[in-house]
């Protein structure tokens, strides 16, 4: 049985990590969050020590190490801009790090973490759960059987957020990386994993609520549109009372992957605990993509662009 610490345990994604640790037969022994609404712990690890101040969490984890019971892993579910620091904390404490997306915000930070792995001998893992989704694995297999074909892809993801979003850290590009990083990075990772390296990255729109552009990959042309604005949800989806719309079409064919997400974090943990899993080198391409989008010069709507931009 491995012991875990978890940072950011009150966040919405943390429950998937708690569940994954539990289902793989391991234990969270220490948890941190400056927000103390963490009753979810009772469903998984009620005996875990809990801290609302990083300094006390740091002292406790250090005490565990000095008393011969160091943490094996630290799971990091904190705001994006803190990931780099919290990964480094885990490594200093002699633990491996398991971090949510994005691993870090900038490409040069990835290089730093790769150096840290070499220096410490410990591992840094990034949760790239779409790589384990059955529909995505099937798509990858299909594309590999068509090595010379250039595919046309439309990616549309609208996940409505209320006013709170823009007042939280997620609404601050310096902390979240902006729309493309916050809600798009797992799609960019999946697409480059299947369709190859980036040859051209064009940004057509970039605001606090929307981002859109064109990615030219080795084996695909991807028109993409991301938004947290409810107004962009198609009318037929609104009529169903839904606030989220997700679509990926490859050569006009819809890829159905709305289900099958429930156990992907557990699958990710299983692979990590078996000595596999994805690290900084795997995460680098998608981090480069969103960094370039964040700093892009906006291109005019000429040539090929996402159809939602015609509205």
């Amino acid at each position: 049985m491995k012991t875990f610490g978890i940072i950011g345990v009150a966040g919405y994604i943390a429950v998937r990590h708690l569940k994954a640790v539990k289902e793989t037969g391991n234990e969270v022994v220490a948890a941190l969050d400056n927000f103390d609404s963490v009753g979810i712990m009772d469903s998984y690890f009620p005996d875990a020590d809990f801290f609302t101040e990083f300094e006390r969490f740091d002292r406790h984890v250090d005490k565990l190490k000095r008393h011969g019971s160091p943490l094996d892993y630290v799971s990091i579910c904190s705001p994006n801009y803190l990931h780099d620091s919290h990964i480094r904390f885990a490594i200093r404490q002699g633990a491996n790090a398991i971090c949510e997306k994005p691993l870090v915000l900038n490409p040069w930070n990835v290089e730093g973490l790769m150096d840290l792995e070499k220096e410490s001998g410990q591992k840094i893992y990034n949760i790239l759960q779409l790589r384990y989704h059955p529909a995505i694995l099937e798509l990858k297999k299909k594309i590999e059987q068509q090595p010379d074909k250039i595919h046309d892809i439309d990616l549309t993801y609208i996940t409505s957020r209320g006013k709170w979003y823009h007042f939280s850290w997620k609404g601050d590009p310096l902390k979240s990386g902006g729309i493309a990083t916050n809600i798009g990075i797992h799609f960019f990772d999946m697409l480059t994993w299947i369709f190859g390296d980036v040859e051209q990255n064009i940004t057509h729109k970039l605001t606090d609520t929307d981002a859109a552009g064109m990615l030219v990959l080795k084996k695909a042309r991807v028109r993409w549109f991301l938004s947290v604005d409810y107004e962009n949800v198609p009318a037929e989806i609104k009529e169903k009372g839904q606030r989220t719309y997700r679509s990926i079409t490859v050569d006009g064919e819809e890829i159905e992957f709305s289900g099958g997400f429930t156990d992907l974090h557990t699958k990710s943990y299983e692979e990590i605990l078996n000595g596999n899993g994805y690290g900084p080198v795997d995460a680098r391409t998608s981090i480069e993509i969103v960094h370039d989008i964040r700093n892009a010069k906006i291109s005019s709507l000429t040539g090929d662009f996402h159809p939602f931009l015609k509205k």
Side-chain angles (χ1 to χ4, degrees):
M1 185 180 71
K2 302 296 184 181
T3 56
F4 283 74
I6 183 166
I7 299 176
V9 72
Y12 90 98
I13 201 66
V15 66
R16 299 186 192 179
H17 290 259
L18 293 171
K19 181 173 178 282
V21 175
K22 186 79 168 180
E23 291 182 346
T24 52
N26 300 292
E27 185 177 6
V28 172
V29 299
L32 168 69
D33 204 295
N34 57 14
F35 188 53
D36 62 8
S37 182
V38 291
I40 190 66
M41 294 285 291
D42 289 344
S43 300
Y44 294 96
F45 302 102
D47 295 326
D49 290 299
F50 173 67
F51 303 86
T52 58
E53 296 171 86
F54 179 81
E55 293 79 5
R56 291 185 175 184
F57 178 75
D58 182 7
R59 182 174 62 187
H60 179 73
V61 172
D62 184 65
K63 182 179 74 173
L64 291 176
K65 183 173 71 171
R66 287 187 288 105
H67 288 182
S69 302
L71 294 178
D72 295 302
Y73 293 88
V74 175
S75 298
I76 297 160
C77 308
S78 50
N80 299 350
Y81 72 107
L82 297 176
H83 287 178
D84 193 23
S85 176
H86 290 158
I87 289 168
R88 293 174 183 277
F89 162 78
I91 299 300
R92 286 197 305 272
Q93 292 298 335
N96 300 307
I98 301 176
C99 188
E100 266 298 337
K101 300 169 300 298
L103 185 68
V104 286
L105 292 180
N106 301 301
W108 53 87
N109 299 132
V110 179
E111 301 296 331
L113 293 184
M114 291 170 66
D115 290 341
L116 193 60
E117 276 194 320
K118 293 176 183 177
E119 294 165 5
S120 68
Q122 288 137 248
K123 300 295 291 183
I124 299 166
Y125 298 101
N126 197 196
I127 297 293
L128 303 175
Q129 75 269 31
L130 280 184
R131 297 192 184 198
Y132 297 115
H133 194 291
I136 301 305
L137 290 170
E138 185 64 29
L139 175 62
K140 183 174 174 61
K141 182 179 178 181
K142 179 180 178 181
I143 297 305
E144 288 172 349
Q145 295 170 351
Q146 304 171 319
D148 299 323
K149 184 173 182 179
I150 304 299
H151 302 269
D152 291 312
I153 299 172
D154 278 356
L155 161 65
T156 312
Y157 184 46
I158 305 166
T159 176
S160 304
R161 297 289 186 262
K163 292 182 179 179
W164 66 268
Y165 181 92
H166 303 286
F167 292 92
S168 74
W169 65 265
K170 294 183 179 184
D172 183 348
L174 293 177
K175 293 182 177 181
S176 70
I179 295 294
T181 305
N182 223 18
I183 69 171
I185 195 165
H186 53 303
F187 293 116
F188 295 133
D189 171 74
M190 178 267 288
L191 290 169
T192 53
W193 184 56
I194 295 175
F195 295 97
D197 293 335
V198 178
E199 297 183 352
Q200 193 174 12
N201 186 352
I202 302 167
T203 302
H204 290 129
K205 186 176 185 180
L206 186 64
T207 69
D208 291 341
T209 58
D210 308 325
M214 165 73 80
L215 270 180
V216 180
L217 307 179
K218 183 178 180 181
K219 298 173 66 175
R221 291 173 56 82
V222 182
R223 301 187 301 183
W224 58 272
F225 181 88
L226 306 168
S227 178
V228 294
D229 187 349
Y230 177 71
E231 293 303 313
N232 288 316
V233 176
E236 64 271 20
I237 303 299
K238 291 179 180 177
E239 289 170 2
K240 297 177 183 178
Q242 299 174 9
R243 295 177 57 85
T244 297
Y245 175 72
R246 175 172 51 203
S247 171
I248 295 181
T249 62
V250 178
D251 300 323
E253 180 181 345
E254 187 77 33
I255 304 301
E256 176 52 52
F257 68 109
S258 56
F261 283 91
T262 309
D263 300 317
L264 293 183
H265 274 70
T266 298
K267 176 63 176 175
S268 299
Y269 269 66
E270 288 172 350
E271 292 296 325
I272 289 167
L273 291 162
N274 286 332
N276 303 313
Y278 295 107
V281 68
D282 303 294
R284 180 166 50 188
T285 297
S286 59
I287 291 170
E288 289 173 347
I289 289 171
V290 294
H291 171 268
D292 290 346
I293 292 169
R294 189 161 64 242
N295 294 281
K297 179 181 178 181
I298 305 303
S299 298
S300 60
L301 294 182
T302 56
D304 205 6
F305 55 88
H306 195 284
F308 273 46
L309 293 177
K310 296 175 182 176
K311 293 183 178 181

